[in-house]
Amino acid sequence: MSQIIALVDCNNFYCSCERVFNPKLENRPVVVLSNNDGCVVARSNEAKALGIKMGEPAFKLREYRDKYNLAILSSNYTLYGDMSQRVMQCLAEYTPELEIYSIDEAFLDFTSFTNQDLTAYSREIKQKVQQFTGIPISIGIATTKTLAKVANRIAKKSNKAKGVLNLVNSPYLDLALQRTEVGDVWGVGSSYTKLLEKNNIHNALQLKKTDQKWIRKERGIVGLRTVLELNGTSCIPLAEMPNSKKSTAVTRSFGKAVETLAELQEALSAYAYRAGEKLRQSKLETASMTVFFRTGSYDKSQPYRSWGTTVNLFSSTNDSRELVNNARKVAENLFEPGYKIKKAGVILLGLTPEGEKQLSLFEKSEPDKKRSQGLMQVMDTINHRYGRETIQLASSGIRKKWQMKADYKSPKYTTSWDELPKVG
């Protein structure tokens, strides 16, 4: 039995999340900016039609705002993450196997649904997700992940498809591949695209028919896998469980340059605390951490400088207090006055599952471990229920003038009691 895979992709996800709670944004061009309100990272269809490109600097958007009533929003990742979970929970009810591929994409296994009209079934999923979350989705169905990506791309753009396209045993499969530029095929990057176009391979159908020996010689097994997938041979299985992380990081650019040790320690404390939260969410611990900070790459008023070091911990931990203490010590040891620091971060390395660690002479006693775990659990529970940073370590500061700019940020509609939508 051939595998049948459906790819669900949320349409213009960040913009769609904003529209769920602000209907005034419907049918209006909308863009979402990157961290620190730097450049465009998401666009509604209306914004795309105006010619606004991904990566467009924020300062270039004023003309669009004044002339076309463009809505400019700061990124609200708390909202997007929560809405993503709601979409994925909804999708999980429709398949025995689900792979969450990204914040706005998921692969569903339809292989066992041999007696189902998969197009009708997918339209039901699309309607339910829209009803329960407000997020519009597109669904592409095929026998491999790569073909499902092709189907999804067409489903999203085709008025006839209305958001769902099934290419399983379809007489239009080759036509769909012919209409897909080779650079838009999943797994074909910019350098691969240049090589293919240089050899007169411009669309997915031509790539499908390319000599496989030549592909393997030029691009190795990864390139060959893409061609096999286009030919209907599944080479990329569904992954229900994500691969174990080897590292995790929290890095940010500052909204205002940091020039004092106290502000730098505040920022690194906040980042180290958040990194610890991420570990606990994944039930992981870290054995070492890298702390770094640097000046701006394009700041001509001072020479570029970068500071950083890696600290090996006495024992594996996910206690944010330990991570914060180490981050503050690194800042104290490396900080040099007279520089305007624009970015800093904490990277946790050597991650292992909780409890699977080598014991150390400096290991905490069992009562100390339980107190540590209990405190972190209480803080996480409060912050999860009432919103991030409801309770935090004092070392993270109060005013936080260094925080990233977010002048156009929408409320945390779904995760903060104080920011719930008001009716009436």
Side-chain angles (χ1 to χ4, degrees), residues 270-287:
Y271 300 166
Y273 183 88
R274 175 60 187 140
E277 277 186 323
K278 292 171 72 173
L279 286 186
R280 294 190 293 276
Q281 288 169 0
S282 302
K283 299 189 183 303
L284 295 171
E285 295 179 333
T286 182

Side-chain angles (χ1 to χ4, degrees), residues 240-275:
E240 289 187 82
M241 294 296 292
N243 293 330
S244 298
K245 289 183 179 180
K246 301 299 180 184
S247 65
T248 191
V250 177
T251 67
R252 300 283 187 273
S253 295
F254 298 132
K256 170 183 170 292
V258 165
E259 300 184 60
T260 67
L261 174 60
E263 283 188 310
L264 178 61
Q265 287 182 315
E266 280 186 6
L268 287 172
S269 293
Y271 300 166
Y273 183 88
R274 175 60 187 140

Side-chain angles (χ1 to χ4, degrees), residues 290-307:
T290 296
V291 179
F292 75 90
F293 48 96
R294 62 175 175 80
T295 59
S297 304
Y298 303 102
D299 186 353
K300 296 181 180 179
S301 67
Q302 61 181 351
Y304 176 77
R305 285 292 308 273
S306 178
W307 301 262

Side-chain angles (χ1 to χ4, degrees), residues 333-344:
N333 292 335
L334 299 183
F335 178 78
E336 297 179 41
Y339 288 96
K340 297 177 181 178
I341 300 168
K342 285 296 294 180
K343 186 172 184 176

Side-chain angles (χ1 to χ4, degrees), residues 155-393:
K156 190 175 292 187
K157 294 185 175 183
S158 168
N159 293 328
K160 186 177 179 180
K162 296 181 180 179
V164 175
L165 181 62
N166 182 1
L167 290 180
V168 177
N169 298 323
S170 171
Y172 302 107
L173 174 58
D174 281 355
L175 180 61
L177 294 177
Q178 188 176 18
R179 292 180 176 178
T180 303
E181 293 183 14
V182 73
D184 293 330
V185 174
W186 190 41
V188 177
S190 57
S191 63
Y192 194 1
T193 301
K194 290 177 182 177
L195 171 69
L196 294 172
E197 290 181 342
K198 184 179 178 181
N199 287 273
N200 293 317
I201 301 168
H202 301 284
N203 60 54
L205 181 61
Q206 292 173 325
L207 179 57
K208 171 185 175 181
K209 295 180 178 180
T210 301
D211 181 67
Q212 294 181 8
K213 290 182 180 179
W214 180 81
I215 288 289
R216 178 154 189 174
K217 177 184 175 183
E218 295 292 335
R219 302 302 299 184
I221 192 66
V222 175
L224 177 60
R225 186 174 63 183
T226 299
V227 175
L228 291 173
E229 287 253 328
L230 289 174
N231 280 277
T233 301
S234 179
C235 303
I236 311 172
L238 222 63
E240 289 187 82
M241 294 296 292
N243 293 330
S244 298
K245 289 183 179 180
K246 301 299 180 184
S247 65
T248 191
V250 177
T251 67
R252 300 283 187 273
S253 295
F254 298 132
K256 170 183 170 292
V258 165
E259 300 184 60
T260 67
L261 174 60
E263 283 188 310
L264 178 61
Q265 287 182 315
E266 280 186 6
L268 287 172
S269 293
Y271 300 166
Y273 183 88
R274 175 60 187 140
E277 277 186 323
K278 292 171 72 173
L279 286 186
R280 294 190 293 276
Q281 288 169 0
S282 302
K283 299 189 183 303
L284 295 171
E285 295 179 333
T286 182
S288 64
M289 61 187 293
T290 296
V291 179
F292 75 90
F293 48 96
R294 62 175 175 80
T295 59
S297 304
Y298 303 102
D299 186 353
K300 296 181 180 179
S301 67
Q302 61 181 351
Y304 176 77
R305 285 292 308 273
S306 178
W307 301 262
T309 191
T310 298
V311 178
N312 292 319
L313 307 178
F314 284 129
S315 62
S316 295
T317 186
N318 57 20
D319 188 325
S320 287
R321 295 172 302 168
E322 295 182 36
L323 303 177
V324 166
N325 287 336
N326 279 286
R328 289 175 62 84
K329 288 176 183 176
V330 170
E332 185 175 2
N333 292 335
L334 299 183
F335 178 78
E336 297 179 41
Y339 288 96
K340 297 177 181 178
I341 300 168
K342 285 296 294 180
K343 186 172 184 176
V346 172
I347 306 170
L348 305 182
L349 308 166
L351 305 188
T352 55
E354 284 181 334
E356 295 182 17
K357 58 186 179 182
Q358 186 174 352
L359 296 179
S360 162
L361 290 173
F362 302 98
E363 197 76 30
K364 287 181 179 178
S365 65
E366 197 61 31
D368 286 341
K369 283 185 197 175
K370 289 184 178 179
R371 279 194 292 269
S372 170
Q373 292 168 352
L375 176 60
M376 291 296 105
Q377 185 176 5
V378 168
M379 295 181 72
D380 290 345
T381 300
I382 292 172
N383 287 330
H384 178 73
R385 183 171 182 179
Y386 297 106
R388 187 175 294 170
E389 296 184 357
T390 299
I391 183 170
Q392 58 185 320
L393 299 181

